[in-house]
Amino acid sequence: MLERHEIEAFLTLAEELHFRRTSERLGLAQGRVSQTIKRLERRIGAPLFERTSRHVALTAIGAQLRDDLLPGYRQIRHAVARATEAGRGIGGTLRVGYSGPMVAEILLKAAERFRARHPGGDVRIQEVQLCDPFGPLRGGQLDLQVTERPVAEADLTVGPLLFSAPRTLMVPDGHPLARRASVSLEDLAEAPLLTISGEVPRYWLDHHYPRHTPSGRTVSRGPTARYWPELLTLVAAGAGVSPACAAVERYNGRPGITWVPFEDAPPVEFGFLWPTTADSARIRAFVDLCPTLDRAPGADGVGAPSPGASGSSGRRQRPG
């Protein structure tokens, strides 16, 4: 029966083919690694490595032993990692909601990183509809969510900001605002404003779909939509205008809609949110992981790294 330290020393040397690098990886003296390999070879009854002052290589028997040991060793390590993650409360499935395709891209990348870092954990993501932004979270269908701020709900914990992106105005191609290089919040009084209906807090609607311009002019209301595709259809049909995150144009540019950047509107902020009573190590581990992504949001117009950097370029889809 081989000891664990013998298996680890052999497999590490079989990968590195270098005694110094092997000793550094294992945190052992180089002489200790050499002695361990020699004892293992005596037990096997044959050399496992060919050694010279400049070269280390597996023998045929060493290569066979490596190939036989490696699958089982990896399986054991994976099992131990899964048990450890479960013991820390990180194992299991984390269900994460998102409110836009640019958020989904970030979460998918984070999920891949999470699975690699926490073998006992998994992540599933699903879209949250505009008309019921907090329902799945409160109903237990989700554990965590990334959504547009502001959020001020007594039973929900507001986590860190994930990213922000400039705000734009979706305008029907034939509308006079569609010919503008940019618009201001005062221009919202120039066309019916399309809004969202459903279980949406009043404070959230007033933030994203204001009732008055900064100077106090009334913003007239147009038809409402419960789902994002409905909103796009209404704009394209000329029923009104609607603010949006500029990053959305990348996914939803379509005939009939011109995307005009705001010159004075605050950015759209996307942040984490979870039920206060369901706070867990699994949630915290995923949230903490997201800012460490190699490619920050905004690298290709998805949004700006939080906080304060600029994001989408604000380009327009002009009428044909």
Side-chain angles (χ1 to χ4, degrees):
M1 179 72 68
L2 299 184
E3 300 292 336
R4 179 183 61 83
H5 72 279
E6 292 176 324
I7 295 174
E8 289 181 346
F10 168 73
L11 289 177
T12 304
L13 183 58
E15 180 181 346
E16 294 288 350
L17 297 177
H18 195 284
F19 277 90
R20 179 178 58 79
R21 291 197 297 267
T22 298
S23 66
E24 290 174 352
R25 276 184 55 180
L26 296 175
L28 299 173
Q30 190 169 321
R32 176 76 176 276
V33 173
S34 181
Q35 292 171 5
T36 300
I37 297 300
K38 288 179 180 178
R39 284 198 302 270
L40 184 57
E41 289 177 323
R42 287 196 296 269
R43 182 176 302 181
I44 298 295
L48 301 175
F49 296 91
E50 297 175 353
R51 309 169 180 79
T52 69
S53 59
R54 298 183 178 180
H55 179 74
V56 176
L58 282 163
T59 64
I61 294 176
Q64 177 183 323
L65 182 61
R66 176 202 59 194
D67 294 344
D68 289 343
L69 286 176
L70 200 53
Y73 177 72
R74 286 174 174 167
Q75 185 175 0
I76 291 171
R77 290 193 62 180
H78 183 71
V80 172
R82 284 174 57 87
T84 301
E85 297 294 344
R88 293 169 55 195
I90 298 178
T93 299
L94 181 69
R95 301 161 301 171
V96 186
Y98 66 89
S99 58
M102 61 282 184
V103 179
E105 281 193 3
I106 298 170
L107 293 179
L108 285 169
K109 185 173 183 180
E112 183 179 353
R113 178 76 62 84
F114 185 84
R115 295 184 191 102
R117 185 169 296 184
H118 303 289
D122 191 18
V123 180
R124 296 178 185 173
I125 72 169
Q126 69 181 60
E127 185 175 5
V128 177
Q129 300 301 330
L130 294 174
C131 61
D132 191 16
F134 309 132
L137 207 57
R138 286 176 167 144
Q141 289 85 43
L142 294 175
D143 306 301
L144 177 66
Q145 185 170 318
V146 175
T147 195
E148 297 91 341
R149 295 182 174 183
V151 175
E153 303 294 313
D155 58 332
L156 301 178
T157 294
V158 177
L161 183 69
L162 180 60
F163 74 93
S164 64
R167 199 179 299 264
T168 191
L169 187 66
M170 297 189 297
V171 180
D173 281 351
H175 194 278
L177 291 176
R179 296 190 292 270
R180 300 270 295 274
S182 64
V183 294
S184 72
L185 291 172
E186 287 296 327
D187 292 320
L188 292 178
E190 302 300 324
L193 187 66
L194 307 175
T195 61
I196 302 300
S197 60
E199 301 299 319
V200 187
R202 173 70 179 267
Y203 68 84
W204 191 94
L205 284 172
D206 288 346
H207 178 84
H208 293 282
Y209 304 93
R211 297 174 180 272
H212 298 88
T213 68
S215 68
R217 299 165 66 195
T218 298
V219 178
S220 64
R221 289 302 203 248
T224 63
R226 291 179 59 84
Y227 305 101
W228 178 250
E230 294 177 5
L231 198 59
L232 294 173
T233 300
L234 287 170
V235 174
V241 302
S242 184
C245 172
V248 174
E249 181 187 359
R250 173 185 171 193
Y251 307 89
N252 296 119
R254 53 173 287 179
I257 300 177
T258 299
W259 302 68
V260 187
F262 274 102
E263 59 192 34
D264 58 354
V268 184
E269 296 183 335
F270 292 83
F272 287 102
L273 187 70
W274 61 86
T276 301
T277 58
D279 199 349
S280 68
R282 186 183 304 126
I283 288 174
R284 297 286 181 172
F286 185 83
V287 170
D288 291 344
L289 175 102
C290 284
T292 69
L293 296 177
D294 295 335
R295 182 168 158 278
D300 59 353
V302 170
S306 164
S310 61
S312 176
S313 62
R315 65 183 180 86
R316 298 178 60 206
Q317 176 185 316
R318 295 186 180 275

